[in-house]
Amino acid sequence: MKLELGKLTIRDIRFSEESKISEGILYVSKEDLRRVALTEEKIKSADFDIARPGESVRITPVKDVVEPRVKTEGPGGIFPGFIAGVDTVGSGKTLALKGMAVVTTGPIVNFQEGVIDMSGPGADYTPFSKLLNLCVICEPVDNCEKHQYESALRMAGLKIASFVAGLGKDIAPEETETFETPDLLTGMKAFPELPRVAYVQMLQSQGLLHDTYVYGVDAKKILPTVLYPTESMDGAILSGNCVSACDKNPTYIHENNPIVEDLFKQHGKTINFVAHVITNENVFLADKERSSNQTAKLCKMLGLDAVIISEEGFGNPDTDLIMNCKKIEAEGIKTVIVTDEYAGRDGKSQSLADADKAADALVTAGNANQLVRLPKLDKVIGTMDYISKIAGSSDKALQSDGSIEVEIQVITGATSEVGFHTLSAR
Amino acid sequence: MSKLRVVHYINQFFAQIGGEEKADYPIELREGTPVGPGLAFTQAFGEDAEIVGTIICGDSYFNENIEETTKKVVEMVKGLKPDVVIFGPAFNAGRYGFACGTCAAAVHDELELPVVTGMYPENPGVDTAKDKAYVVVTKNSAADMRHAVKVMAPLALKLARHEHVGASCEEGYINQGIRVNFFEKKRGSERAVEMLLKKIAGKPYETEYPMPSFDRVEPMPAVKDLAHAKIALVTSGGICPKGNPDHIESSNATKFGEYSIEGVTDLTEETFETAHGGYDPSYANEDPDRVLPVDIMRDLEKEGVIGKLHELFYTTVGNGTAVASAKKYGAEIGKRLLSAGVNAVILTST
């Protein structure tokens, strides 16, 4: 399967009467955006704002971050199962608007939304402070239940991203990158000497709004399966998550999965990047056993030599991570696992909730419990009403000078367990 | 600005008094002029700091008079009012390392001063300074002095100024279990791919988090006589009286709560709620019995299946909560349950 990913860098976003992309500037009409958002019947009102890198702006409570992409050639559409039909994606041509994102905000579960600071020390911890962020602030209708609000806000984000990307559909990309994965047999013949490597991605599926979707299917309900690595670039996997902000994968990270990208860089040179295996993180023991058994089985079936396994979330899914690692290693397949740590504010506690000697190659995205003081910023997009409730904060967070002292857990993407960011710990 | 004050501890060998034959050299304080490796430190400090005193002690003398000599070292250091104290470096010298580590720990504990030493990772002295001194990694012989000083001197200055100390791999000290965040040059995915390539090729690589030895608890034997047993409910699901009176945090809880359910037959939306920040609380708040099953336990009590439901329940939030905290709460809750004559506990999570 071959995907040509075209990139068009957006250099600024401006509100305007007419929605268009011209000379790298995205002009959007609030009316157009509102019309798109209000197609979600559970949304009462929608407002929009723009946050630029370096501005004294805090966005909170952040739900999701989405990169606008549009299919320009080939089967299917971006976000299959939600925005497009369920054709298999990952081939043909796709256009991505780089340097920007659509950020949805709203207090769905209070605890489980995040913070993006566009400047100051908080900005160093989130990869999204480097983007031009088109922020979507949605109020739900009265008596809207949390899961309905989540669904509406998720869909509004995807729809607005798709609308914005559609404005660039006829513009030639500035740069095109080609990703190609041959079928198993062809790959084996093409790279007989290279070690066979796959990416095993664990998707957050603990339920009660800890949900990830694959082609529209709730990942709780999947058996582990195999994708071509380009499928996620077309939005085949997306976030419906309300869970600690630092280590959930927003949709943006699924579209730009760095492990997929970095394995592609080695593909055909030092490794044969065979497949993208996805599995889930359900809460029942039988589900954990079944999914890790099936994952190890798939790895064996694919004739792999090695895999990178990434976790999403922490605590309960640590057991899935260790099961996957142990069982895949037991098949004689080498593993590297990517996770983050909850070592306590003093860094002295055990970092994971489960451990095994098979996990002898681990990449860490840092200790999520570490405290950071974030100064008061001039402008808040969204509301600070929930800042003391977000997981990683406390009722002592707000200081008399208006700054907040919180764990980096509250910061969206701070300890990305797919290694999207550079934070680490020793 | 005046220079920062440094006290330096060395053995008889590095004080150029003599080798093994002089190892019984008793403890001595030389104020002023630096001695032995102190010269190299002085040079490295430049205008920023000065060694105001050097404590010299024979290795055998220390090891034969540990308590008394340690006390003397603390007194001598106290009198000199330093900003930081440097011990050694001791490289792979076992008795010297032990002296450095022991005294460093004592100075840290009693004077609350920052301390730095340097040792070869296998030096038995490393353990004595655990969690207290920064032990810079050195090679196994004094030939590594230049490098050791180059790492120890700036670290000592940082400590003296109370500046942020980075992760062990950045600063060059031995990691003794305290995790410190820092920004790597390469993103995590790239590091993972590099580590995988090394592992595939059978080349050495360094994991970023060595697995801890995991504490597994053997389950107790089953309760034989439930009908006369007193059962308690304990939860990490965050159920607490409405309004969360003790402000248990939604994540990384710093406390547990003890609350009465005497006379309570059913937890309702009006009286109880969850403080937990790790799941959608709608269903737990609608009927807190879903997490803390008081209603069912009262039924079982009435039916005579169990003897009695304990009148207190214990609760905390098991969301991103440090294992060390959870262990502490567990031990304390266990103690209280034992003294209340509880026979068995139902632990509920979420």
Side-chain angles (χ1 to χ4, degrees):
Chain A
M1 181 175 277
K2 181 167 140 187
L3 179 72
E4 289 176 47
L5 184 64
K7 297 173 185 179
L8 186 63
T9 301
I10 298 299
R11 291 179 185 85
D12 197 13
I13 306 176
R14 290 174 201 161
F15 289 121
S16 144
E17 294 291 303
E18 187 197 352
S19 299
K20 63 176 181 187
I21 295 172
S22 171
E23 300 190 355
I25 314 285
L26 169 65
Y27 298 89
V28 277
S29 136
K30 283 194 185 182
E31 271 322 299
D32 287 347
L33 296 179
R34 196 165 285 127
R35 214 169 19 248
V36 172
L38 292 180
T39 56
E40 284 301 311
E41 59 178 24
K42 294 291 178 189
I43 290 179
K44 182 164 75 180
S45 68
D47 198 7
F48 305 91
D49 211 328
I50 296 160
R52 298 175 179 86
E55 287 180 344
S56 181
V57 171
R58 171 168 299 146
I59 316 170
T60 189
V62 172
K63 185 210 184 293
D64 198 9
V65 184
V66 188
E67 183 174 86
R69 291 190 173 200
V70 62
K71 212 78 216 142
T72 52
E73 211 180 290
I78 304 296
F79 306 128
F82 288 101
I83 300 298
V86 291
D87 291 314
T88 300
V89 292
S91 65
K93 289 183 182 172
T94 295
L95 179 77
L97 301 189
K98 305 307 288 186
M100 73 157 292
V102 171
V103 175
T104 49
T105 80
I108 302 164
V109 193
N110 308 347
F111 308 127
Q112 294 165 352
E113 279 75 48
V115 175
I116 295 175
D117 279 3
M118 300 305 288
S119 63
D124 294 339
Y125 285 98
T126 174
F128 304 113
S129 62
K130 285 91 189 164
L131 301 176
L132 292 160
N133 291 317
L134 176 59
C135 304
V136 182
I137 307 127
C138 288
E139 288 252 351
V141 295
D142 299 340
N143 303 318
C144 181
E145 294 202 32
K146 287 182 192 302
H147 69 274
Q148 294 170 326
Y149 186 16
E150 187 284 322
S151 166
L153 192 50
R154 164 163 40 90
M155 289 305 295
L158 299 178
K159 284 177 178 175
I160 285 171
S162 300
F163 168 77
V164 167
L167 301 173
K169 201 173 181 352
D170 298 322
I171 303 174
E174 296 160 326
E175 171 194 353
T176 299
E177 213 176 335
T178 303
F179 301 95
E180 186 170 12
T181 310
D183 64 76
L184 291 177
L185 197 61
T186 312
M188 250 160 91
K189 286 181 186 154
F191 314 110
E193 306 298 328
L194 295 180
R196 297 171 61 76
V197 174
Y199 170 34
V200 176
Q201 187 181 14
M202 297 168 52
L203 304 175
Q204 178 54 256
S205 64
Q206 287 179 268
L208 290 183
L209 301 185
H210 296 9
D211 304 317
T212 304
Y213 296 92
V214 182
Y215 281 97
V217 180
D218 183 343
K220 259 197 298 302
K221 297 171 187 160
I222 65 163
L223 275 182
T225 189
V226 180
L227 305 180
Y228 279 104
T230 49
E231 290 178 65
S232 62
M233 296 179 182
D234 277 346
I237 306 171
L238 59 88
S239 168
N241 268 322
C242 299
V243 65
S244 285
C246 63
D247 57 10
K248 65 177 161 192
N249 295 323
T251 299
Y252 185 99
I253 286 186
H254 287 298
E255 299 170 272
N256 290 283
N257 193 308
I259 296 178
V260 169
E261 284 178 8
D262 289 342
L263 284 173
F264 259 126
K265 283 188 191 137
Q266 297 297 326
H267 180 52
K269 295 176 198 155
T270 55
I271 58 166
N272 175 8
F273 182 18
V274 175
H276 182 178
V277 178
I278 53 167
T279 181
N280 52 17
E281 301 173 345
N282 291 7
V283 290
F284 287 104
L285 184 60
D287 292 334
K288 291 176 184 297
E289 293 283 8
R290 183 189 310 110
S291 288
S292 54
N293 290 341
Q294 293 292 318
T295 301
K297 182 200 76 178
L298 285 177
C299 291
K300 179 77 180 161
M301 264 176 88
L302 292 168
L304 301 177
D305 296 300
V307 297
I308 293 176
I309 308 170
S310 67
E311 185 183 2
E312 185 175 1
F314 59 94
N316 187 298
D318 292 348
T319 57
D320 301 86
L321 176 69
I322 294 299
M323 278 186 195
N324 285 322
C325 175
K326 244 163 55 174
K327 292 176 186 180
I328 294 171
E329 284 273 349
E331 293 289 358
I333 299 163
K334 295 189 166 79
T335 63
V336 167
I337 63 177
V338 189
T339 180
D340 63 350
E341 305 181 41
Y342 285 74
R345 290 180 177 183
D346 60 6
K348 288 183 181 171
S349 194
Q350 183 179 292
S351 296
L352 297 172
D354 201 1
D356 190 85
K357 61 181 186 313
D360 61 2
L362 184 150
V363 167
T364 173
N367 176 17
N369 293 134
Q370 182 214 298
L371 283 174
V372 63
R373 202 182 181 107
L374 305 178
K376 186 169 193 239
L377 298 182
D378 293 345
K379 178 177 163 186
V380 173
I381 296 178
T383 168
M384 286 286 278
D385 289 357
Y386 305 96
I387 199 71
S388 66
K389 290 229 171 78
I390 292 177
S393 185
S394 72
D395 57 3
K396 295 188 206 78
L398 196 58
Q399 310 292 308
S400 54
D401 63 357
S403 67
I404 49 170
E405 191 174 57
V406 287
E407 294 180 9
I408 59 169
Q409 194 183 161
V410 308
I411 301 174
T412 301
T415 59
S416 161
E417 294 172 282
V418 292
F420 194 76
H421 201 22
T422 54
L423 189 68
S424 186
R426 292 291 189 286
Chain B
M1 215 183 86
S2 63
K3 287 181 175 182
L4 293 162
R5 297 168 66 83
V6 181
V7 171
H8 189 201
Y9 175 99
I10 52 176
N11 71 358
Q12 85 288 347
F13 176 75
F14 284 97
Q16 289 150 18
I17 290 165
E20 194 52 41
E21 77 285 359
K22 294 284 185 187
D24 58 351
Y25 193 81
I27 185 163
E28 177 196 337
L29 171 64
R30 289 195 203 162
E31 294 197 41
T33 333
V35 183
L39 294 165
F41 278 110
T42 304
Q43 216 166 23
F45 292 148
E47 290 303 304
D48 296 329
E50 61 181 337
I51 293 178
V52 293
T54 305
I55 300 167
I56 299 162
C57 185
D59 288 335
S60 302
Y61 182 86
F62 180 85
N63 280 278
E64 281 157 22
N65 307 279
I66 298 171
E67 243 175 77
E68 190 194 321
T69 320
T70 307
K71 215 180 272 174
K72 268 199 189 141
V73 169
V74 172
E75 274 166 32
M76 287 173 172
V77 169
K78 193 176 176 187
L80 290 163
K81 298 195 173 59
D83 298 295
V84 61
V85 187
I86 294 177
F87 295 85
F91 306 103
N92 200 25
R95 285 175 308 161
Y96 187 21
F98 180 75
C100 286
T102 307
C103 294
V107 167
H108 169 272
D109 287 349
E110 288 172 44
L111 306 178
E112 293 178 2
L113 282 171
V115 283
V116 185
T117 179
M119 293 186 214
Y120 182 61
E122 287 169 30
N123 190 321
V126 170
D127 277 347
T128 57
K130 195 175 166 135
D131 288 3
K132 300 188 173 165
Y134 285 97
V135 184
V136 164
V137 185
T138 71
K139 296 215 174 87
N140 62 359
S141 85
D144 192 37
M145 183 64 84
R146 269 176 63 135
H147 157 258
V149 170
K150 214 169 115 187
V151 182
M152 287 170 72
L155 180 59
L157 290 180
K158 268 192 186 178
L159 288 167
R161 293 182 186 126
H162 303 284
E163 288 173 357
H164 171 73
V165 174
S168 53
C169 61
E170 291 179 294
E171 305 277 2
Y173 61 87
I174 298 175
N175 189 320
Q176 293 191 296
I178 300 176
R179 306 294 292 171
V180 178
N181 283 347
F182 70 107
F183 289 98
E184 286 269 13
K185 289 190 184 67
K186 295 173 179 170
R187 64 181 184 177
S189 54
E190 197 181 342
R191 305 200 308 278
V193 172
E194 284 176 1
M195 195 183 287
L196 191 74
L197 291 176
K198 285 185 190 161
K199 194 170 172 179
I200 292 171
K203 289 184 188 156
Y205 60 86
E206 207 171 321
T207 181
E208 295 179 1
Y209 179 64
M211 284 290 115
S213 53
F214 206 72
D215 182 19
R216 302 219 178 250
V217 180
E218 283 297 314
M220 294 288 282
V223 177
K224 286 207 179 93
D225 183 13
L226 261 186
H228 294 93
K230 187 168 168 186
I231 315 282
L233 290 175
V234 177
T235 186
S236 61
I239 300 300
C240 56
K242 187 94 178 172
N244 190 7
D246 295 311
H247 307 285
I248 299 173
E249 295 84 349
S250 63
S251 175
N252 197 7
T254 63
K255 62 195 93 152
F256 66 86
E258 177 191 73
Y259 305 108
S260 172
I261 37 171
E262 207 174 348
V264 176
T265 53
D266 184 22
L267 307 183
T268 65
E269 208 170 349
E270 288 73 37
T271 51
F272 289 85
E273 67 179 16
T274 181
H276 202 290
Y279 61 97
D280 171 8
S282 307
Y283 304 104
N285 286 339
E286 193 178 279
D287 182 0
D289 291 296
R290 286 172 173 151
V291 178
L292 193 81
V294 172
D295 54 352
I296 302 286
M297 293 302 286
R298 289 294 180 209
D299 287 349
L300 294 174
E301 197 177 33
K302 219 186 295 172
E303 291 161 16
V305 178
I306 63 164
K308 188 178 169 6
L309 176 63
H310 185 42
E311 63 272 17
L312 298 172
F313 78 91
Y314 295 88
T315 182
T316 189
V317 164
N319 175 35
T321 297
V323 177
S325 313
K327 219 168 162 173
K328 197 173 79 190
Y329 309 154
E332 176 58 28
I333 293 168
K335 223 185 281 170
R336 294 194 200 175
L337 291 171
L338 269 179
S339 67
V342 169
N343 305 103
V345 179
I346 294 177
L347 290 167
T348 63
S349 61
T350 49

